[in-house]
Amino acid sequence: MNLAQFANTIGLSASTVSRALNGYADVSAETRRRVEVAAERLGYRASAVGRRLRTGRAEAIGFLLAPPRGSSVNFFQLEMLAGIDEALRATDYHLVVITAKSEQDEFDCLRRMVEQRQVEAVLLCRTRRTDERIIWLLRRHYPFAAVGRSETPEPFPFLDIDHAASARMACERLIGLGHRRIALVNTPAALMYSAHARQGYEQALLAAGLRRSRALVLHAEMTEAAGQAAVCALLARSAPPTALICGDDVLALGALRALEAAGMQAGRDVAVIGCGDIPMARFATPPLTTFRAPFRAAGQRVTEMLVQTLAGKPAAGLQEIWTPELVVRASDGGARGMQ
Amino acid sequence: MNLAQFANTIGLSASTVSRALNGYADVSAETRRRVEVAAERLGYRASAVGRRLRTGRAEAIGFLLAPPRGSSVNFFQLEMLAGIDEALRATDYHLVVITAKSEQDEFDCLRRMVEQRQVEAVLLCRTRRTDERIIWLLRRHYPFAAVGRSETPEPFPFLDIDHAASARMACERLIGLGHRRIALVNTPAALMYSAHARQGYEQALLAAGLRRSRALVLHAEMTEAAGQAAVCALLARSAPPTALICGDDVLALGALRALEAAGMQAGRDVAVIGCGDIPMARFATPPLTTFRAPFRAAGQRVTEMLVQTLAGKPAAGLQEIWTPELVVRASDGGARGMQ
DNA sequence: CTCTACTCCAAAATCGATTCTGTTGACAAC
DNA sequence: GTTGTCAACAGAATCGATTTTGGAGTAGAG
């Protein structure tokens, strides 16, 4: 059922029908009612494609799912997805999900989406220190928002979880528990939040008067196996660390395995603190002390920010940093007798 | 950059440019090359919206994410999402994700998507015994494919995991371990796979010569809390079951909690077998014996099936049932000494 | 009565592609 | 010389909406 056909069957012109359905003022109340009733009865719905062509709006935003880095798909992205969709329901945008295999492929997908104007704006996550995607989008003045920051000087709308804060809090907590040899098992160095975690970690060491040489940072791919391997290497040192801060829970899970393999017990022999509070964290042995951030709410909020960006609000006012919350369980050995 | 503008700047007509880029034969090789080079240099890309309007193809398929039933978003849907997207990459369709809050809302979202022709076909999961969505899509002859079956008589393309088989295998295994009072803590009765699980369970009981009155089935919402509550009620009976088959790992996790609360140990006092092999299953205490199905591959395959449906292949040839694989861990008590 | 203002609807242009139908010129066949 | 065929391109219609412009009818002011 066409607009033309529909207008014809109810004896009105296409323009009047369109204006009636879109709430224009120069349509009499009676006519509008008649059109609405007929549309409902005959099941007429304006074609989205026709409307989009005419208005030039894609009515969609794209969410670029980060390519699986090692392990399987990420927990936090699904949470974000739910939040994004929830926020989008209040608008007339719908959601196009874009996933890619590799980082190069990811960029190509983004380009294609944008250049073909499939989406009016995009949502990014897993930002990198120098992020090709962000640089490209900024240069083209294409609207976007990101979960995570980047080192590009131009401002853009973002919502980030404060991983400097979580690493600092983790480090302070471990120092408070008496640890002096604290290692940071960090996520890949190219990721922006990896750098933040390192900053927070080093700040806390400095603030506690520990010499800079005490800093012990290494990077691992985001898989349990990589975390395990990294921690194995750490334990083989002459003076192994007594505490581990992990940039991601997956790495922490690997750390737990490495400790177990070495006959040690997390929380007693070596303290472990993770980051992310993935569902498995609660079930690890020992249960993982970690940091939690509300990713669903973050997805919701960053979507609102994107919508405001599309409405013309400048990026400077659309930058938020949320502080994650410490979830104390057993792996850091600090809750003994408390639970 | 328009088709018209682009054609103009390179001194050709719009139709010739379009035919050149779309591989028509009545364009000389030299002209085609010239157009392609210019398109690359000037960054011309045909607008997807214009093309869609003209060709009448939405070039997109929709994936209806099941509304979160109780707990947070489902693990298996994200795996499917990855598989779907992977399969779609081989085609020119892209993916529109639709999520909904409730089942009623879900149906409305589907209707809107379909009636506005936003997508050419849809992918469903979490099918129900009588599934409003499937009935509606069938009646409209709208192409779709589902992960999961339904009781509607008309055939449609589906890929299902054989939950009758997994329940039967679970039950046989428990009987083999000497259990006689085996309960099925099942997912909500409206779900199709819930009914299949029940069938498999009852078949196994019958085959083992256990009287039908031995069957003990109850349903719970898909949350840990609901599973815990259900199992608490079971344990309070005069002759509590010695083994539990859970329709979903989340329920099994709840069962584990209920046992712990009752001072019992899963795998020793009561055997527990789950279903799904969610990431947490491995980390439960004791680690959960459960069934695993390759959901990523399933997403990939069901997408291929949908594409074939769009190509006109009849539904009868597009129905697959995959058998899940038992993952033996400790919660069923059958692996003692084996690991 | 005439002029202006206003309400309500219709006609036509427009968005950006694809595709059907012509048109031109070259060349061969008769 | 005429006709027919073919390659290679151009023109115009079309998809389904929105939006600008125009126009008929009515009412009120002078």
Side-chain angles (χ1 to χ4, degrees):
Chain A
M1 169 77 61
N2 243 346
L3 171 59
Q5 291 168 17
F6 174 62
N8 211 273
T9 62
I10 64 172
L12 283 170
S13 77
S15 60
T16 300
V17 169
S18 174
R19 301 177 72 77
L21 291 175
N22 289 336
Y24 280 68
D26 64 348
V27 176
S28 75
E30 192 212 356
T31 303
R32 189 190 308 280
R33 164 87 43 204
R34 190 152 63 92
V35 170
E36 284 167 354
V37 169
E40 176 64 33
R41 196 168 51 80
L42 300 177
Y44 169 73
R45 279 250 174 79
S47 144
V49 181
R51 178 169 8 95
R52 283 184 206 148
L53 177 57
R54 173 62 226 217
T55 61
R57 297 190 39 210
E59 297 176 342
I61 72 130
F63 178 36
L64 200 55
L65 274 176
R69 240 192 133 98
S71 72
S72 94
V73 202
N74 286 87
F75 156 73
F76 83 94
Q77 298 196 82
L78 188 48
E79 281 295 313
M80 274 191 58
L81 195 65
I84 292 168
D85 199 89
E86 213 159 306
L88 246 32
R89 193 110 16 102
T91 73
D92 59 352
Y93 293 102
H94 65 263
L95 180 61
V96 173
V97 167
I98 318 161
T99 75
K101 282 196 215 299
S102 62
E103 285 187 8
Q104 181 50 45
D105 186 37
E106 185 188 14
F107 187 70
D108 290 342
C109 289
L110 174 65
R111 259 189 67 158
R112 214 179 36 231
M113 268 301 165
V114 168
E115 286 183 344
Q116 294 191 170
R117 281 147 292 175
Q118 308 259 29
V119 295
E120 283 178 48
V122 290
L123 240 28
L124 262 38
C125 57
R126 242 342 151 51
T127 52
R128 299 183 267 280
R129 296 181 61 170
T130 65
D131 198 311
E132 202 183 10
R133 307 168 300 173
I134 292 177
I135 293 169
W136 188 76
L137 289 166
L138 279 170
R139 187 155 48 79
R140 292 182 59 113
H141 301 289
Y142 198 86
F144 73 99
V147 171
R149 277 165 284 178
S150 188
E151 284 177 352
T152 312
E154 290 113 303
F156 61 87
F158 67 76
L159 185 155
D160 200 5
I161 307 299
D162 194 344
H163 286 95
S166 55
R168 192 172 48 237
M169 286 158 65
C171 200
E172 286 167 355
R173 177 176 172 83
L174 292 170
I175 290 171
L177 290 172
H179 294 278
R180 288 299 172 269
R181 291 200 305 279
I182 304 169
L184 174 63
V185 181
N186 212 355
T187 50
L191 295 176
M192 187 69 233
Y193 87 92
S194 175
H196 286 141
R198 179 179 201 136
Q199 285 169 21
Y201 163 75
E202 290 178 345
Q203 274 174 25
L205 286 187
L206 238 62
L210 293 175
R211 271 170 306 135
R212 208 185 154 71
S213 61
R214 272 294 171 68
L216 179 54
V217 181
L218 65 177
H219 297 273
E221 280 299 312
M222 211 109 69
T223 64
E224 246 183 86
Q228 184 174 2
V231 172
C232 274
L234 277 178
L235 295 178
R237 296 168 70 102
S238 58
T242 64
L244 303 172
I245 300 174
C246 296
D248 190 280
D249 276 355
V250 170
L251 295 178
L253 257 29
L256 257 38
R257 274 215 238 165
L259 290 175
E260 197 186 330
M264 301 175 127
Q265 192 177 317
R268 195 193 59 193
D269 305 321
V270 173
V272 175
I273 296 185
C275 182
D277 195 25
I278 63 178
M280 285 177 278
R282 186 158 57 94
F283 291 92
T285 37
L288 202 58
T289 293
T290 185
F291 288 89
R292 175 192 301 162
F295 278 108
R296 191 195 212 98
Q300 216 166 336
R301 179 69 191 127
V302 78
T303 305
E304 291 170 11
M305 289 165 65
L306 183 61
V307 170
Q308 291 183 20
T309 300
L310 282 166
K313 191 164 172 185
L318 293 171
Q319 304 183 326
E320 295 185 9
I321 298 177
W322 293 8
T323 304
E325 167 200 6
L326 178 69
V327 181
V328 177
R329 297 204 182 92
S331 68
D332 66 333
R336 239 165 305 175
M338 283 173 58
Q339 53 181 10
Chain B
M1 169 76 61
N2 243 346
L3 170 59
Q5 292 168 18
F6 173 61
N8 210 272
T9 61
I10 64 173
L12 282 171
S13 77
S15 59
T16 299
V17 170
S18 174
R19 300 177 71 79
L21 291 175
N22 289 336
Y24 280 68
D26 63 348
V27 176
S28 76
E30 191 212 356
T31 304
R32 190 191 309 280
R33 164 88 42 207
R34 188 152 64 93
V35 170
E36 283 166 353
V37 168
E40 177 64 32
R41 195 168 52 80
L42 300 176
Y44 169 73
R45 278 253 173 79
S47 146
V49 181
R51 176 166 14 93
R52 282 184 207 150
L53 177 58
R54 173 62 226 218
T55 61
R57 298 192 38 210
E59 297 177 342
I61 73 131
F63 178 37
L64 199 56
L65 274 178
R69 240 192 135 100
S71 73
S72 92
V73 203
N74 286 88
F75 156 73
F76 84 94
Q77 298 196 80
L78 189 47
E79 281 296 314
M80 274 191 57
L81 196 64
I84 292 169
D85 199 88
E86 213 159 304
L88 246 31
R89 193 113 12 104
T91 73
D92 59 351
Y93 293 101
H94 66 262
L95 180 62
V96 173
V97 167
I98 319 162
T99 75
K101 281 197 215 303
S102 62
E103 286 187 7
Q104 181 50 46
D105 186 36
E106 185 188 14
F107 187 70
D108 291 343
C109 289
L110 173 66
R111 258 189 68 158
R112 215 177 38 231
M113 267 301 163
V114 168
E115 285 183 345
Q116 295 190 171
R117 282 147 290 176
Q118 308 260 29
V119 294
E120 282 179 48
V122 291
L123 238 28
L124 263 38
C125 58
R126 244 341 155 50
T127 52
R128 298 182 269 280
R129 297 180 61 170
T130 66
D131 198 310
E132 203 184 8
R133 308 167 299 175
I134 292 178
I135 293 170
W136 188 76
L137 288 165
L138 279 171
R139 186 155 49 79
R140 293 182 59 113
H141 301 288
Y142 198 86
F144 74 98
V147 171
R149 278 165 283 177
S150 187
E151 285 177 352
T152 313
E154 291 112 302
F156 61 87
F158 67 78
L159 186 156
D160 201 4
I161 307 300
D162 194 344
H163 286 93
S166 55
R168 191 173 50 238
M169 286 158 66
C171 200
E172 285 168 356
R173 176 175 174 84
L174 292 170
I175 290 169
L177 290 172
H179 294 278
R180 288 299 173 268
R181 289 200 306 280
I182 305 168
L184 174 62
V185 181
N186 212 355
T187 49
L191 295 175
M192 187 68 232
Y193 87 90
S194 175
H196 287 141
R198 179 178 201 137
Q199 284 169 21
Y201 163 76
E202 289 177 346
Q203 274 174 26
L205 287 187
L206 238 61
L210 294 174
R211 272 170 304 135
R212 206 185 155 71
S213 61
R214 272 292 171 69
L216 179 54
V217 181
L218 65 178
H219 297 274
E221 280 300 311
M222 212 108 68
T223 64
E224 245 184 89
Q228 184 174 3
V231 172
C232 272
L234 276 178
L235 295 178
R237 296 170 68 104
S238 57
T242 65
L244 303 171
I245 300 173
C246 296
D248 190 280
D249 276 355
V250 171
L251 295 178
L253 258 28
L256 258 38
R257 273 215 238 165
L259 290 174
E260 196 186 333
M264 299 173 129
Q265 192 178 316
R268 194 192 59 192
D269 306 320
V270 174
V272 176
I273 296 186
C275 183
D277 196 26
I278 62 178
M280 285 177 278
R282 185 159 57 94
F283 292 94
T285 36
L288 203 58
T289 293
T290 185
F291 288 88
R292 175 192 302 162
F295 279 110
R296 190 195 212 98
Q300 213 167 336
R301 178 71 190 126
V302 78
T303 305
E304 291 170 10
M305 290 164 65
L306 183 60
V307 170
Q308 291 183 18
T309 300
L310 282 166
K313 190 163 174 188
L318 293 171
Q319 305 183 325
E320 295 184 9
I321 299 176
W322 292 8
T323 305
E325 167 199 6
L326 179 69
V327 181
V328 177
R329 297 203 183 93
S331 68
D332 66 335
R336 241 166 302 177
M338 282 171 58
Q339 52 181 12

